Amino acid sequence: MKKKNKKVYITSNVSLDYFFFLCKIFKKLGYEVKPIYLISETTYRSSSKSKNISKLILRLQMYMIYPIYILFLGLISHKSSIFIVSSNTFFAPFMMNIILKFKGNKIIHMLYDLYPDAIEVSGLINPNSFIAKTIGKITSYSLKKCSGTVFLGDYLRRHAESRWGKCKQSEVIDISTDLTLFDDKILQHSSNEKIKLHYGGQLGNLHDATSIVSLVKSLYSSDISNNIEFYFTISGSKADYLRRALKNYPIEVAPTLKSKEWRSFIKNFDIGLVSLTPGGANVCLPSKTYAMMAGGLAILAITPPWSDLASLIINNQAGWVFDNSSNEKIISNIIDKLRYLTQNREYLFQIRKNSFMNVRQNYNEYNLGMKWERFIEKI
């Protein structure tokens, strides 16, 4: 790709896998790329679980030091520079745009989670509170005034714009994952082995931990209890709840793994378990889903059928969606599906292959790069 004469700053308070993948995409497009972050994912996971000064330091880094740092870099940057600013510090896109617009910098709001909606759904603030309204005004400004906003899914864009106003410019660009980090072959497991389900990553207030616990309990009292195994590597606000609720069940619950270890670990599994509460489905899309697809796992998604997560699974024939917004029989329906899979292992492997192949065909580096290139040109 021909070298561009613009520099792209890609900023996030925490260096998640996708952060480095996005840097790689822009380098391939010919841009000079400057990644900006303060906290490694490992440090974030360990510090966020602590109840001492480590957690306080983490919050100071995320909400004070990081914004000051990126603003300083913005002020000394060339006016042609582009800043892609993640919403994981919710006011960072607002702050960067309101101060740097006079220089002429382009600010792209990378909407990873939607605020205040995410913390309202979590039950941390009241939607009618002063705090919620203030954060909402900041989000509304970011959508309307930043050079552009990138969403992770179509539903998320519709929901955000219906509540907080139309964007100046917007595009849906999938978050995906760096496919080169995964094996290029999918392994077929023996039909004599148990079907192995895996949940990996965050289990927080936006995820349907209640349905997952109910599923495990019901399955181990069912006729297929000897044919299924669960493996959890989790962190987040609901992790301890799951550990306590399932302590008497024969499942493995471990802390989250480093990314490289996790990619090797999931080769053993057949199905990736993902979930969002109906409220959570309004505000985010679990990025781990793409990584599990890249690792060759079929996806069992507990989520409303209108969600971006459901669309990802259905459009790629990568697994099954079970509606937790109104379906009282959701757990028995999931167990019926698992029972069918124990008797139809070739079908399960076909869904795994769909997942493995379609994430590579539809969400590869080239396709995502072209979407970003067109969006940069549009703004």
Side-chain angles (χ1 to χ4, degrees):
M1 188 71 69
K2 185 179 178 181
K3 185 174 177 61
K4 307 288 195 303
N5 59 355
K6 292 182 179 179
K7 188 171 184 176
V8 175
Y9 293 81
I10 300 177
T11 80
S12 174
N13 53 27
V14 179
S15 60
L16 302 172
D17 279 353
Y18 175 69
F19 174 82
F20 296 110
F21 180 47
L22 188 57
C23 291
K24 183 179 178 182
I25 288 172
F26 272 90
K27 285 178 182 177
K28 286 287 183 69
L29 291 174
Y31 291 93
E32 181 185 354
V33 177
K34 172 68 175 178
I36 305 171
Y37 68 94
L38 283 185
I39 308 158
S40 70
E41 184 174 6
T42 302
T43 300
Y44 173 76
R45 300 295 183 205
S46 61
S47 298
S48 61
K49 289 185 290 186
S50 67
K51 297 181 180 180
N52 53 28
I53 196 169
S54 295
K55 192 167 187 176
L56 176 60
I57 292 172
L58 176 69
R59 298 306 178 198
L60 288 172
Q61 288 177 309
M62 293 175 66
Y63 296 107
M64 290 186 66
I65 299 173
Y66 163 75
I68 293 170
Y69 178 44
I70 61 172
L71 181 57
F72 170 74
L73 291 175
L75 290 170
I76 65 173
S77 69
H78 191 276
K79 65 180 182 180
S80 67
S81 299
I82 300 168
F83 283 79
I84 300 175
V85 186
S86 171
S87 66
N88 49 17
T89 295
F90 69 88
F91 58 85
F94 161 84
M95 177 193 71
M96 293 291 281
N97 190 75
I98 205 167
I99 294 175
L100 297 186
K101 65 181 180 181
F102 301 105
K103 279 184 60 197
N105 294 102
K106 299 291 186 182
I107 309 297
I108 297 176
H109 178 196
M110 181 72 186
L111 203 149
Y112 196 81
D113 290 322
L114 179 63
Y115 292 96
D117 305 52
I119 45 181
E120 291 172 355
V121 170
S122 299
L124 300 177
I125 61 172
N126 187 300
N128 295 316
S129 67
F130 172 77
I131 294 175
K133 291 177 180 179
T134 301
I135 296 174
K137 288 179 180 178
I138 290 172
T139 295
S140 180
Y141 176 94
S142 297
L143 296 179
K144 294 174 183 177
K145 299 297 184 180
C146 285
S147 304
T149 300
V150 171
F151 294 91
L152 306 187
D154 287 302
Y155 181 83
L156 180 56
R157 174 164 63 175
R158 291 196 301 272
H159 171 75
E161 290 191 322
S162 68
R163 186 176 185 191
W164 302 115
K166 289 286 185 180
C167 298
K168 184 176 182 179
Q169 293 282 356
S170 69
E171 188 60 75
V172 173
I173 303 179
D174 297 271
I175 196 166
S176 194
T177 190
D178 189 345
L179 300 168
T180 64
L181 300 177
F182 294 82
D183 287 353
D184 57 4
K185 293 181 180 179
I186 181 172
L187 299 176
Q188 183 168 12
H189 303 141
S190 169
S191 59
N192 295 322
E193 297 179 29
K194 294 181 180 182
I195 293 178
K196 298 179 178 66
L197 283 81
H198 170 63
Y199 188 106
Q202 280 288 102
L203 185 65
N205 292 320
L206 304 181
H207 305 102
D208 192 352
T210 302
S211 290
I212 293 172
V213 167
S214 296
L215 171 61
V216 174
K217 289 182 175 180
S218 297
L219 188 136
Y220 279 108
S221 62
S222 75
D223 59 309
I224 58 170
S225 60
N226 293 324
N227 304 106
I228 306 289
E229 289 181 338
F230 288 90
Y231 295 83
F232 294 86
T233 56
I234 54 175
S235 62
S237 59
K238 293 294 185 179
D240 286 340
Y241 159 74
L242 184 137
R243 288 188 181 93
R244 290 193 302 269
L246 299 178
K247 65 181 180 180
N248 295 323
Y249 290 82
I251 64 170
E252 181 178 319
V253 183
T256 49
L257 301 173
K258 293 181 179 179
S259 296
K260 186 175 181 180
E261 295 172 4
W262 180 81
R263 287 191 293 270
S264 177
F265 185 58
I266 63 171
K267 296 175 187 177
N268 303 309
F269 306 127
D270 301 287
I271 298 173
L273 184 61
V274 293
S275 74
L276 287 173
T277 64
N282 281 321
V283 300
C284 70
L285 171 63
S287 57
K288 209 79 169 183
T289 309
Y290 294 93
M292 289 195 288
M293 292 171 65
L297 277 66
I299 306 298
L300 193 161
I302 300 174
T303 187
W306 42 259
S307 66
D308 289 317
L309 173 58
S311 297
L312 174 65
I313 305 311
I314 294 168
N315 293 343
N316 291 282
Q317 299 179 302
W320 313 274
V321 174
F322 294 91
D323 182 8
N324 59 351
S325 61
S326 60
N327 188 349
E328 295 179 357
K329 296 183 177 180
I330 180 174
I331 301 303
S332 61
N333 289 344
I334 296 174
I335 291 176
D336 287 344
K337 176 61 70 175
L338 292 173
R339 183 180 295 110
Y340 177 81
L341 294 176
T342 63
Q343 300 164 2
N344 295 271
R345 298 297 287 267
E346 285 297 325
Y347 165 69
L348 171 57
F349 185 57
Q350 181 58 56
I351 300 301
R352 290 182 59 212
K353 286 194 291 185
N354 292 349
S355 184
F356 181 84
M357 296 301 298
N358 288 339
V359 74
R360 285 163 171 76
Q361 179 177 324
N362 298 324
Y363 311 109
N364 57 59
E365 191 176 307
Y366 175 80
N367 289 349
L368 299 181
M370 291 301 98
K371 286 185 177 182
W372 276 105
E373 185 81 294
R374 289 192 293 268
F375 186 61
I376 295 292
E377 291 172 358
K378 185 165 69 171
I379 66 171

